[in-house]
PDB file of all heavy atoms in Angstrom:
ATOM      1  N   VAL A 856     106.158 107.965  97.174  1.00 95.00           N
ATOM      2  CA  VAL A 856     105.372 108.809  96.266  1.00 95.00           C
ATOM      3  C   VAL A 856     105.354 110.236  96.813  1.00 95.00           C
ATOM      4  O   VAL A 856     105.023 110.455  97.977  1.00 95.00           O
ATOM      5  CB  VAL A 856     103.925 108.291  96.117  1.00 95.00           C
ATOM      6  CG1 VAL A 856     103.153 109.165  95.149  1.00 95.00           C
ATOM      7  CG2 VAL A 856     103.916 106.834  95.683  1.00 95.00           C
ATOM      8  N   PHE A 857     105.725 111.188  95.973  1.00 95.00           N
ATOM      9  CA  PHE A 857     105.601 112.609  96.281  1.00 95.00           C
ATOM     10  C   PHE A 857     104.317 113.080  95.592  1.00 95.00           C
ATOM     11  O   PHE A 857     104.278 113.198  94.364  1.00 95.00           O
ATOM     12  CB  PHE A 857     106.809 113.395  95.762  1.00 95.00           C
ATOM     13  CG  PHE A 857     108.091 113.021  96.447  1.00 95.00           C
ATOM     14  CD1 PHE A 857     108.922 112.050  95.904  1.00 95.00           C
ATOM     15  CD2 PHE A 857     108.452 113.617  97.637  1.00 95.00           C
ATOM     16  CE1 PHE A 857     110.095 111.696  96.523  1.00 95.00           C
ATOM     17  CE2 PHE A 857     109.628 113.264  98.283  1.00 95.00           C
ATOM     18  CZ  PHE A 857     110.456 112.299  97.719  1.00 95.00           C
ATOM     19  N   TYR A 858     103.282 113.309  96.399  1.00 93.00           N
ATOM     20  CA  TYR A 858     101.975 113.677  95.855  1.00 93.00           C
ATOM     21  C   TYR A 858     101.964 115.140  95.460  1.00 93.00           C
ATOM     22  O   TYR A 858     102.360 116.006  96.236  1.00 93.00           O
ATOM     23  CB  TYR A 858     100.872 113.359  96.865  1.00 93.00           C
ATOM     24  CG  TYR A 858     100.772 111.878  97.114  1.00 93.00           C
ATOM     25  CD1 TYR A 858     101.317 111.301  98.251  1.00 93.00           C
ATOM     26  CD2 TYR A 858     100.167 111.045  96.181  1.00 93.00           C
ATOM     27  CE1 TYR A 858     101.264 109.933  98.460  1.00 93.00           C
ATOM     28  CE2 TYR A 858     100.101 109.681  96.378  1.00 93.00           C
ATOM     29  CZ  TYR A 858     100.655 109.133  97.517  1.00 93.00           C
ATOM     30  OH  TYR A 858     100.601 107.776  97.713  1.00 93.00           O
ATOM     31  N   GLY A 859     101.482 115.442  94.253  1.00 90.00           N
ATOM     32  CA  GLY A 859     101.515 116.800  93.729  1.00 90.00           C
ATOM     33  C   GLY A 859     100.308 117.637  94.075  1.00 90.00           C
ATOM     34  O   GLY A 859     100.344 118.856  93.969  1.00 90.00           O
ATOM     35  N   ASN A 860      99.235 117.022  94.510  1.00 89.00           N
ATOM     36  CA  ASN A 860      98.010 117.735  94.826  1.00 89.00           C
ATOM     37  C   ASN A 860      98.008 118.138  96.295  1.00 89.00           C
ATOM     38  O   ASN A 860      98.183 117.289  97.175  1.00 89.00           O
ATOM     39  CB  ASN A 860      96.823 116.822  94.496  1.00 89.00           C
ATOM     40  CG  ASN A 860      95.502 117.476  94.746  1.00 89.00           C
ATOM     41  OD1 ASN A 860      95.201 117.854  95.871  1.00 89.00           O
ATOM     42  ND2 ASN A 860      94.693 117.591  93.705  1.00 89.00           N
ATOM     43  N   LYS A 861      97.807 119.422  96.594  1.00 90.00           N
ATOM     44  CA  LYS A 861      97.829 119.905  97.986  1.00 90.00           C
ATOM     45  C   LYS A 861      96.736 119.247  98.815  1.00 90.00           C
ATOM     46  O   LYS A 861      96.956 118.900  99.977  1.00 90.00           O
ATOM     47  CB  LYS A 861      97.680 121.426  98.015  1.00 90.00           C
ATOM     48  CG  LYS A 861      97.779 121.987  99.434  1.00 90.00           C
ATOM     49  CD  LYS A 861      97.801 123.478  99.426  1.00 90.00           C
ATOM     50  CE  LYS A 861      97.851 124.144 100.770  1.00 90.00           C
ATOM     51  NZ  LYS A 861      97.834 123.393 101.955  1.00 90.00           N
ATOM     52  N   THR A 863      95.542 116.236  98.536  1.00 89.00           N
ATOM     53  CA  THR A 863      95.991 114.885  98.879  1.00 89.00           C
ATOM     54  C   THR A 863      97.050 114.928  99.976  1.00 89.00           C
ATOM     55  O   THR A 863      97.003 114.148 100.929  1.00 89.00           O
ATOM     56  CB  THR A 863      96.557 114.168  97.631  1.00 89.00           C
ATOM     57  OG1 THR A 863      95.546 114.125  96.635  1.00 89.00           O
ATOM     58  CG2 THR A 863      97.020 112.773  97.960  1.00 89.00           C
ATOM     59  N   ARG A 864      98.000 115.853  99.868  1.00 90.00           N
ATOM     60  CA  ARG A 864      99.044 115.976 100.908  1.00 90.00           C
ATOM     61  C   ARG A 864      98.437 116.332 102.255  1.00 90.00           C
ATOM     62  O   ARG A 864      98.808 115.767 103.292  1.00 90.00           O
ATOM     63  CB  ARG A 864     100.084 117.018 100.493  1.00 90.00           C
ATOM     64  CG  ARG A 864     100.975 116.573  99.355  1.00 90.00           C
ATOM     65  CD  ARG A 864     102.164 117.501  99.167  1.00 90.00           C
ATOM     66  NE  ARG A 864     101.819 118.908  99.097  1.00 90.00           N
ATOM     67  CZ  ARG A 864     101.615 119.573  97.974  1.00 90.00           C
ATOM     68  NH1 ARG A 864     101.681 118.963  96.812  1.00 90.00           N
ATOM     69  NH2 ARG A 864     101.326 120.871  98.004  1.00 90.00           N
ATOM     70  N   ASN A 867      96.605 113.294 103.668  1.00 88.00           N
ATOM     71  CA  ASN A 867      97.539 112.285 104.165  1.00 88.00           C
ATOM     72  C   ASN A 867      98.158 112.692 105.500  1.00 88.00           C
ATOM     73  O   ASN A 867      98.417 111.840 106.351  1.00 88.00           O
ATOM     74  CB  ASN A 867      98.647 112.020 103.147  1.00 88.00           C
ATOM     75  CG  ASN A 867      98.141 111.320 101.915  1.00 88.00           C
ATOM     76  OD1 ASN A 867      97.011 110.839 101.872  1.00 88.00           O
ATOM     77  ND2 ASN A 867      98.966 111.264 100.892  1.00 88.00           N
ATOM     78  N   MET A 901     101.495 100.833  92.327  1.00 96.00           N
ATOM     79  CA  MET A 901     102.143 101.269  93.573  1.00 96.00           C
ATOM     80  C   MET A 901     101.044 101.372  94.609  1.00 96.00           C
ATOM     81  O   MET A 901     100.057 102.077  94.413  1.00 96.00           O
ATOM     82  CB  MET A 901     102.826 102.621  93.386  1.00 96.00           C
ATOM     83  CG  MET A 901     103.466 103.169  94.650  1.00 96.00           C
ATOM     84  SD  MET A 901     104.919 102.286  95.206  1.00 96.00           S
ATOM     85  CE  MET A 901     106.189 103.096  94.271  1.00 96.00           C
ATOM     86  N   ASP A 903     100.227 102.448  98.347  1.00 95.00           N
ATOM     87  CA  ASP A 903     100.649 103.226  99.513  1.00 95.00           C
ATOM     88  C   ASP A 903      99.538 103.107 100.545  1.00 95.00           C
ATOM     89  O   ASP A 903      98.486 103.728 100.419  1.00 95.00           O
ATOM     90  CB  ASP A 903     100.879 104.684  99.103  1.00 95.00           C
ATOM     91  CG  ASP A 903     101.406 105.545 100.236  1.00 95.00           C
ATOM     92  OD1 ASP A 903     101.535 105.051 101.371  1.00 95.00           O
ATOM     93  OD2 ASP A 903     101.697 106.736  99.966  1.00 95.00           O
ATOM     94  N   ARG A 905      98.243 103.547 104.405  1.00 93.00           N
ATOM     95  CA  ARG A 905      98.479 104.299 105.643  1.00 93.00           C
ATOM     96  C   ARG A 905      97.298 104.071 106.578  1.00 93.00           C
ATOM     97  O   ARG A 905      96.158 104.072 106.139  1.00 93.00           O
ATOM     98  CB  ARG A 905      98.608 105.792 105.344  1.00 93.00           C
ATOM     99  CG  ARG A 905      99.725 106.120 104.399  1.00 93.00           C
ATOM    100  CD  ARG A 905      99.616 107.549 103.898  1.00 93.00           C
ATOM    101  NE  ARG A 905     100.589 107.798 102.870  1.00 93.00           N
ATOM    102  CZ  ARG A 905     101.468 108.798 102.903  1.00 93.00           C
ATOM    103  NH1 ARG A 905     101.476 109.645 103.912  1.00 93.00           N
ATOM    104  NH2 ARG A 905     102.321 108.944 101.914  1.00 93.00           N
ATOM    105  N   MET A 914      96.025 104.177  99.005  1.00 95.00           N
ATOM    106  CA  MET A 914      96.149 104.768  97.673  1.00 95.00           C
ATOM    107  C   MET A 914      96.713 103.724  96.707  1.00 95.00           C
ATOM    108  O   MET A 914      97.791 103.188  96.942  1.00 95.00           O
ATOM    109  CB  MET A 914      97.027 106.008  97.741  1.00 95.00           C
ATOM    110  CG  MET A 914      96.334 107.119  98.521  1.00 95.00           C
ATOM    111  SD  MET A 914      97.405 108.477  98.957  1.00 95.00           S
ATOM    112  CE  MET A 914      98.243 107.794 100.373  1.00 95.00           C
ATOM    113  N   ARG A 943      95.053 107.011  89.846  1.00 94.00           N
ATOM    114  CA  ARG A 943      95.151 106.567  91.243  1.00 94.00           C
ATOM    115  C   ARG A 943      93.756 106.520  91.825  1.00 94.00           C
ATOM    116  O   ARG A 943      92.962 107.437  91.640  1.00 94.00           O
ATOM    117  CB  ARG A 943      96.028 107.529  92.047  1.00 94.00           C
ATOM    118  CG  ARG A 943      96.404 106.983  93.409  1.00 94.00           C
ATOM    119  CD  ARG A 943      97.177 107.990  94.257  1.00 94.00           C
ATOM    120  NE  ARG A 943      96.258 109.001  94.752  1.00 94.00           N
ATOM    121  CZ  ARG A 943      96.366 110.301  94.517  1.00 94.00           C
ATOM    122  NH1 ARG A 943      97.357 110.776  93.813  1.00 94.00           N
ATOM    123  NH2 ARG A 943      95.472 111.147  95.000  1.00 94.00           N
ATOM    124  N   ALA A 997     100.706 116.670  89.863  1.00 92.00           N
ATOM    125  CA  ALA A 997     101.450 115.562  89.265  1.00 92.00           C
ATOM    126  C   ALA A 997     102.158 114.795  90.374  1.00 92.00           C
ATOM    127  O   ALA A 997     102.856 115.389  91.188  1.00 92.00           O
ATOM    128  CB  ALA A 997     102.452 116.074  88.246  1.00 92.00           C
ATOM    129  N   ASP A 998     101.950 113.482  90.407  1.00 93.00           N
ATOM    130  CA  ASP A 998     102.624 112.637  91.385  1.00 93.00           C
ATOM    131  C   ASP A 998     103.985 112.219  90.829  1.00 93.00           C
ATOM    132  O   ASP A 998     104.112 111.914  89.649  1.00 93.00           O
ATOM    133  CB  ASP A 998     101.802 111.384  91.695  1.00 93.00           C
ATOM    134  CG  ASP A 998     100.498 111.701  92.390  1.00 93.00           C
ATOM    135  OD1 ASP A 998     100.328 112.836  92.881  1.00 93.00           O
ATOM    136  OD2 ASP A 998      99.638 110.802  92.454  1.00 93.00           O
ATOM    137  N   ASN A 999     104.995 112.221  91.684  1.00 95.00           N
ATOM    138  CA  ASN A 999     106.320 111.727  91.346  1.00 95.00           C
ATOM    139  C   ASN A 999     106.543 110.456  92.146  1.00 95.00           C
ATOM    140  O   ASN A 999     106.559 110.482  93.375  1.00 95.00           O
ATOM    141  CB  ASN A 999     107.388 112.768  91.682  1.00 95.00           C
ATOM    142  CG  ASN A 999     107.324 113.931  90.728  1.00 95.00           C
ATOM    143  OD1 ASN A 999     107.640 113.793  89.564  1.00 95.00           O
ATOM    144  ND2 ASN A 999     106.884 115.083  91.222  1.00 95.00           N
TER     145      ASN A 999
END
Side-chain angles (χ1 to χ4, degrees):
V856 181
F857 295 93
Y858 295 101
N860 182 299
K861 183 173 178 358
T863 302
R864 289 192 310 266
N867 291 349
M901 177 70 87
D903 184 356
R905 301 167 187 234
M914 292 168 280
R943 192 185 75 239
D998 294 346
N999 289 291

